[in-house]
Amino acid sequence: MSNERLIYLPLGGAGEIGMNAYVYGYGKPGEERLVLVDIGVAFPDMDTTPGVDLIFADITWLEERKDRLEAVFITHAHEDHVGAIGHLYERLGAPKIYARAFTANIARGKLAEYGVGDNAVTVANAWPDMIQSGPFKIGFLPISHSIPESSALVIDSPEGRVIHTGDFKLDETPLVGEAFDENLWKEASAPGVRALVCDSTNVFSKHPGRSEAVVGPEITRLVSESTGMFVATTFASNVARVKTLADAGAAAGRSIVLLGRAMRRMIEASIKTGVLSDFPTVVPPEDAKSIPRENLMLIVTGSQGERRAASAQLARGKHMGLTMKEGDTFLFSSKTIPGNEKGVIHVINAFSEMGVDVVDDNDGLYHVSGHANRPDLERMQDLVNPQIVIPMHGEHRHLREHTKLAQQKRRQGVLAVNGTMVSLSGNAPEVVDYVETGRTYLDGSVQIGALDGIVRDRIRMALNGHVTVTVVLDEADEPLGDPWCDLMGLPETGRSRASLQEVLEEDLSQFLNRAGQGTLSDDDKIEEALRRVVRNSANEEIGKKPEVTVVVSRLT
């Protein structure tokens, strides 16, 4: 009996939506040759990660084994699947990267920001072509999604075939990109599939998913009936939707303007790689100001209320010289991702105050999801007929429900959250190890650990304010003058109606005047004591205990 095994290990994306990173390995335990599927990002919010730019999966486990990493395979070009490739490439040991043409174009752009050349990414053909990568043969199996050239991965090993779906929907009329081809999937599944590792995002949606083609007529009607300037936002990566919007504008005799770097980048990549061949003519933003408003159609970034995106900037007054006015229409051709509601509502209200008519997708007329709903997941299981189903790409509740669905269909379901190493060898899947996982933050240009305390301190300062205390001691360890305070993020006065700064400085002076030699001669003791005085005094005055920095200067 062989002592080699096939393993699956999610480092990100299993137990959350975002920062996907999935490891497959084959070999003797502890010596497996590894491949990584996707390396994405998640996005911060001001409540839990203030100041953070991006969030990555913690790849420490993989970094420590980078000599065993054969390659990285990218399923598609969404940020939560490819967004970290430039940031983490060197830490992974500069591995080979494989992706289809459109995704490769996006990945190369991200790597170029770090000085990595185009040859780091190899463009892969679609299945049935297979790529030999260590003990694996891997092919890109086309699947429909809300971005062009999405692919599942057919992963062959000595233990059998695994199909990793990536993000998908069963759309036979996607408008842009490849339609779902049931016969192709039957062909890929015919030899028998050991495990289906499957998208779980919409497992709670009980109606079958809808095609991208159904939104076109509704959008065309809305644009044709609108007066004033028409502005629409959607996910920049949803090239089919962007084209639908542009076609609707052109049919209504409007000039099309793309606003937002991501929007332009996606369309340019689509045209360059042959995904798009008949996109309507686009007018530069600087030329749009001379076109009558009723003849303009803007397609803009910022469907999730992102503060720096074009939508939010228009809501604040002006972007690229263009402004919204009463009688204009703004369409959200998108779904608000949970957690982004505040930003979206802020944009909607700002437009409402301008007299702009805002149209969202509450009635399901102007957006369809890019993910498979529950009936589609059942259809996928029946089509592939795997021995094992491992849900991924979802929060814990999604994975758990998807596992139940697999078991209801009399298949082995495995709930494997981030850090769960599953052996797919033998008669049944088995959890063989748990790996420490977490998050890495991109904070400016520096990568920091989620547990390093930096963001925690930032949150505490945001919640409680900050006080800097400076005290000067002479050669005899006696205070030289009174201590002084600098306050940030705190009110000027408290319950006593006296200056908070003066109250703190008075209490600090009184403490120093009665402090013993043992305290005054020891920097650590005096810092801790002064910190305690400030926090207690501030709590009495304003009901908050601020963060405190103490600077002790000694004359020698």
Side-chain angles (χ1 to χ4, degrees):
M1 181 176 177
S2 171
N3 62 351
E4 297 180 323
R5 65 184 184 183
L6 172 64
I7 60 168
Y8 163 77
L9 170 64
L11 297 178
E16 67 211 343
I17 294 177
M19 64 180 197
N20 294 275
Y22 307 94
V23 177
Y24 291 88
Y26 182 81
K28 295 180 180 179
E31 300 177 14
E32 296 95 346
R33 303 303 298 179
L34 309 170
V35 294
L36 176 63
V37 175
D38 292 336
I39 184 70
V41 302
F43 296 98
D45 62 76
M46 286 302 294
D47 291 334
T48 61
T49 47
V52 170
D53 296 279
L54 291 172
I55 305 173
F56 317 134
D58 183 352
I59 61 163
T60 301
W61 183 90
L62 191 57
E63 185 178 15
E64 291 171 350
R65 295 159 178 80
K66 61 187 177 184
D67 59 317
R68 290 159 44 194
L69 179 62
E70 298 285 350
V72 178
F73 291 79
I74 309 296
T75 60
H76 64 283
H78 274 148
E79 286 294 299
D80 61 333
H81 293 259
V82 72
I85 189 65
H87 304 289
L88 302 179
Y89 180 70
E90 294 297 336
R91 286 182 58 191
L92 290 171
K96 297 176 182 177
I97 301 168
Y98 295 96
R100 295 185 65 196
F102 177 82
T103 305
N105 183 285
I106 301 299
R108 284 168 173 166
K110 295 182 180 301
L111 289 163
E113 296 176 11
Y114 285 80
V116 180
D118 287 354
N119 59 358
V121 182
T122 299
V123 174
N125 295 322
W127 194 86
D129 281 9
M130 302 284 276
I131 297 163
Q132 187 75 49
S133 187
F136 297 101
K137 280 189 173 182
I138 299 177
F140 286 81
L141 182 61
I143 188 73
S144 48
H145 184 41
S146 55
I147 192 170
E149 288 191 346
S150 293
S151 297
L153 295 179
V154 177
I155 304 173
D156 283 346
S157 77
E159 289 284 348
R161 175 164 289 184
V162 173
I163 294 183
H164 181 106
T165 68
D167 295 2
F168 77 96
K169 63 183 297 187
L170 305 183
D171 191 346
E172 295 173 356
T173 53
L175 302 185
V176 175
E178 295 141 315
F180 174 66
D181 185 341
E182 182 171 312
N183 290 329
L184 189 68
W185 274 73
K186 285 181 178 178
E187 183 182 323
S189 305
V193 175
R194 179 73 172 156
L196 175 69
V197 182
C198 191
D199 180 3
S200 306
T201 310
N202 284 354
V203 68
F204 290 105
S205 298
K206 295 183 179 180
H207 55 81
R210 297 185 302 149
S211 171
E212 182 65 32
V214 305
V215 301
E218 294 293 342
I219 290 174
T220 299
R221 178 190 58 77
L222 179 65
V223 175
S224 66
E225 294 176 355
S226 298
T227 58
M229 186 165 68
F230 194 99
V231 185
T233 186
T234 190
F235 299 100
S237 58
N238 193 341
V239 174
R241 186 70 49 76
V242 176
K243 184 178 185 303
T244 294
L245 290 165
D247 286 344
R254 295 175 180 265
S255 297
I256 310 302
V257 181
L258 300 180
L259 289 183
R261 188 169 66 95
M263 189 74 69
R264 296 191 301 272
R265 175 79 180 92
M266 285 292 174
I267 297 303
E268 289 168 0
S270 299
I271 294 171
K272 182 176 180 180
T273 57
V275 170
L276 279 179
S277 58
D278 55 350
F279 196 80
T281 301
V282 174
V283 176
E286 53 270 21
D287 294 345
K289 290 177 285 185
S290 62
I291 298 173
R293 303 179 64 77
E294 63 273 15
N295 294 336
L296 273 178
M297 167 93 166
L298 310 186
I299 306 175
V300 304
T301 55
S303 66
Q304 302 305 302
E306 302 96 318
R307 179 170 176 77
R308 290 183 291 181
S311 294
Q313 297 206 45
L314 285 169
R316 289 196 292 271
K318 181 183 291 188
H319 183 55
M320 302 288 288
L322 298 167
T323 58
M324 301 289 287
K325 294 183 179 179
E326 186 171 357
D328 292 344
T329 301
F330 191 98
L331 168 65
F332 281 90
S333 182
S334 56
K335 175 185 177 181
T336 301
I337 296 171
N340 294 339
E341 294 89 351
K342 286 183 179 180
V344 172
I345 290 171
H346 179 78
V347 170
I348 290 174
N349 282 325
F351 283 140
S352 180
E353 291 173 7
M354 297 176 187
V356 174
D357 296 322
V358 178
V359 181
D360 61 25
D361 194 53
N362 286 340
D363 296 327
L365 297 177
Y366 310 113
H367 176 69
V368 293
S369 175
H371 295 271
N373 291 351
R374 189 184 188 92
D376 310 314
L377 296 175
E378 294 186 70
R379 181 182 170 193
M380 175 61 78
Q381 285 190 32
D382 292 341
L383 182 61
V384 174
N385 193 27
Q387 299 175 40
I388 304 162
V389 176
I390 305 179
M392 54 92 178
H393 198 282
E395 298 167 359
H396 192 280
R397 64 191 180 99
H398 298 106
L399 306 187
R400 186 166 179 262
E401 184 65 19
H402 198 172
T403 301
K404 288 181 180 180
L405 176 63
Q407 293 168 344
Q408 289 168 8
K409 296 182 74 63
R410 302 186 181 279
R411 295 188 174 93
Q412 298 178 75
V414 181
L415 200 167
V417 297
N418 293 339
T420 307
M421 184 185 291
V422 180
S423 171
L424 300 177
S425 299
N427 295 324
E430 178 185 3
V431 176
V432 292
D433 198 3
Y434 290 97
V435 171
E436 189 72 30
T437 59
R439 297 183 164 205
T440 298
Y441 298 146
L442 180 68
D443 195 49
S445 59
V446 179
Q447 293 181 27
I448 60 175
L451 301 179
D452 288 356
I454 296 168
V455 173
R456 179 195 61 208
D457 290 345
R458 192 175 293 161
I459 293 172
R460 288 163 61 178
M461 284 189 286
L463 293 173
N464 301 311
H466 185 266
V467 176
T468 301
V469 177
T470 304
V471 61
V472 180
L473 304 175
D474 64 17
E475 296 91 334
D477 298 327
E478 293 295 327
L480 191 64
D482 294 324
W484 67 91
C485 298
D486 292 306
L487 280 58
M488 292 185 67
L490 293 169
E492 294 184 0
T493 60
R495 291 193 179 99
S496 67
R497 301 196 181 281
S499 164
L500 178 60
Q501 180 178 349
E502 292 177 2
V503 169
L504 296 179
E505 289 176 348
E506 176 63 26
D507 289 348
L508 289 166
S509 292
Q510 290 184 19
F511 170 80
L512 288 174
N513 287 335
R514 64 175 183 267
Q517 187 66 25
T519 297
L520 294 174
S521 61
D522 187 317
D523 283 1
D524 291 338
K525 288 183 178 180
I526 196 170
E527 286 179 17
E528 179 56 34
L530 294 179
R531 186 176 293 110
R532 186 166 55 249
V533 169
V534 169
R535 288 171 62 81
N536 289 340
S537 296
N539 191 47
E540 291 178 6
E541 282 288 310
I542 62 173
K544 282 186 176 291
K545 293 184 176 182
E547 298 302 297
V548 182
T549 299
V550 178
V551 180
V552 179
S553 298
R554 295 183 181 274
L555 300 181
T556 56

